[in-house]
Amino acid sequence: MQPPPRSTGRERFGEHYAATLRKLGLAMGLSEDDLLATGVELTAAAVATAIERFLAPRGGVDVVYASGGGVANATLMRAIGRRVSPARLSRLDVLGVPPAAKEALAFAFLAHETLCGLPGNVPSATGAARPVVLGEITPGA
């Protein structure tokens, strides 16, 4: 597990990753239900492990805010909640941000940084050589 800040997504944990895990699980004799349960627990364990390894040493976590499509999966939310306890698990919408709007909010933040002339990248997460202002503002006619 890489230390934060880091970035990942479907390019690493998408359809190909899921298909590979399914193939391995079926070869081991696991049922479809067992494979789904394993995927839920792997996801919950990854969240809890990241918190334990990278945040707890800095003082811990009182609340974990979940966003994205996973918040609609009650089984996943229970698993994460169980693993991050005693921290409380809440959906991002309790802060007024719809869980599906996380990416739109992130792009709005990056646009704000660009408008203010501030770097919007994190070189240790992206591999960039240095912090830079992202994008370009071109005034209209």
Side-chain angles (χ1 to χ4, degrees), residues 78-97:
R78 280 192 302 274
I80 293 172
R82 184 177 68 252
R83 287 180 178 263
V84 301
S85 182
R88 186 170 42 94
L89 177 65
S90 291
R91 290 171 47 122
L92 191 58
D93 51 1
V94 302
L95 299 177
V97 179

Side-chain angles (χ1 to χ4, degrees), residues 122-138:
V122 179
S124 62
T126 64
R130 65 187 187 291
V132 296
V133 175
L134 302 176
E136 184 177 312
I137 305 301
T138 305

Side-chain angles (χ1 to χ4, degrees), residues 3 8 21 34 40 48 50 52 59 62-63 70 77 80 82 85 87 95 100-102 105 112-113 118 122 128 137:
T8 193
L21 286 182
D34 287 339
V40 164
E52 290 167 14
D62 296 321
V63 182
M77 292 294 284
I80 293 172
R82 184 177 68 252
S85 182
L95 299 177
K102 168 180 66 176
L105 186 62
H112 176 267
E113 295 297 277
L118 300 171
V122 179
I137 305 301

Side-chain angles (χ1 to χ4, degrees), residues 10-104:
R10 288 185 178 96
E11 73 282 352
R12 185 163 179 195
F13 297 106
E15 192 173 328
H16 177 72
Y17 179 80
T20 300
L21 286 182
R22 182 176 183 271
K23 183 178 177 182
L24 290 169
L26 291 175
M28 293 170 54
L30 297 175
S31 69
E32 295 282 346
D33 287 345
D34 287 339
L35 291 170
L36 290 171
T38 300
V40 164
E41 291 301 325
L42 280 171
T43 302
V47 171
T49 299
I51 290 169
E52 290 167 14
R53 191 173 293 170
F54 303 114
L55 298 177
R58 295 178 168 209
V61 173
D62 296 321
V63 182
V64 174
Y65 292 99
S67 64
V71 299
N73 184 327
T75 303
L76 176 60
M77 292 294 284
R78 280 192 302 274
I80 293 172
R82 184 177 68 252
R83 287 180 178 263
V84 301
S85 182
R88 186 170 42 94
L89 177 65
S90 291
R91 290 171 47 122
L92 191 58
D93 51 1
V94 302
L95 299 177
V97 179
K102 168 180 66 176
E103 191 167 335

